Amino acid sequence: METQKSKTVFIEYSTANKGQHFMTVMQNENGQRNVIGRIYREYDKENKKTTYKATDSKGNQVFANFSELRDIKKQFIENGRSLSDIVPDQTINQEPTGLEAQSKKPEREKELKGLRDKNAEKDKERGIDK
């Protein structure tokens, strides 16, 4: 059985105000998730039709406006890999590495230890044993 190395994922939000995107498009490749675009929905009251607009992660329009959501999704599925190559790697839920991880941890540990010591002193004053 062969595993799939690339997959386009659509995340739809239940609410979106005017001017906000209602769907995020992500490309999963080799365990990495990259946001490759967003889909906006606009309703034209005069024509009584909804149009969909696709943008990349920076807000530039990627495809022409479509009247059907399935058409714009099809474009993202067909061109997902090429869009993912253009977008710099922005992995989601990535742990900080290097100096970032080392510098934050000791400061936070000292801060937490200080808070615990203060709480312990207050408990002793009140006569609470743990």
Side-chain angles (χ1 to χ4, degrees):
M1 187 164 115
E2 196 172 307
T3 60
Q4 189 173 8
K5 295 185 181 184
S6 180
K7 184 177 182 181
T8 305
V9 179
F10 297 93
I11 302 170
E12 185 172 354
Y13 303 103
S14 59
T15 60
N17 295 329
K18 188 173 183 176
Q20 290 182 329
H21 68 282
F22 81 102
M23 191 174 291
T24 301
V25 185
M26 298 174 70
Q27 187 72 27
N28 291 348
E29 285 192 49
N30 301 325
Q32 305 267 330
R33 295 183 198 162
N34 292 325
V35 175
I36 59 171
R38 294 176 180 6
I39 300 175
Y40 294 84
R41 172 177 45 204
E42 292 181 18
Y43 182 73
D44 186 13
K45 291 181 182 179
E46 294 175 9
N47 297 331
K48 296 183 180 181
K49 291 189 177 185
T50 302
T51 58
Y52 299 95
K53 178 177 120 179
T55 63
D56 62 2
S57 60
K58 294 181 182 178
N60 304 322
Q61 188 165 355
V62 182
F63 307 119
N65 292 348
F66 288 96
S67 60
E68 294 290 328
L69 183 60
R70 68 173 181 252
D71 295 333
I72 205 161
K73 283 184 170 183
K74 184 177 179 183
Q75 288 293 318
F76 270 113
I77 291 169
E78 291 172 356
N79 301 307
R81 278 195 159 170
S82 61
L83 290 171
S84 179
D85 292 339
I86 295 170
V87 175
D89 289 337
Q90 321 165 337
T91 54
I92 304 222
N93 299 332
Q94 184 178 18
E95 292 292 323
T97 57
L99 295 175
E100 295 173 353
Q102 293 174 358
S103 64
K104 291 181 182 179
K105 209 170 191 178
E107 291 175 10
R108 185 70 178 148
E109 286 177 7
K110 289 177 187 176
E111 188 178 318
L112 288 172
K113 187 176 180 183
L115 288 172
R116 288 183 188 125
D117 292 341
K118 284 182 185 178
N119 288 340
E121 289 175 17
K122 287 180 183 178
D123 289 343
K124 285 181 184 177
E125 290 175 2
R126 293 181 188 161
I128 301 173
D129 292 329
K130 288 189 174 183

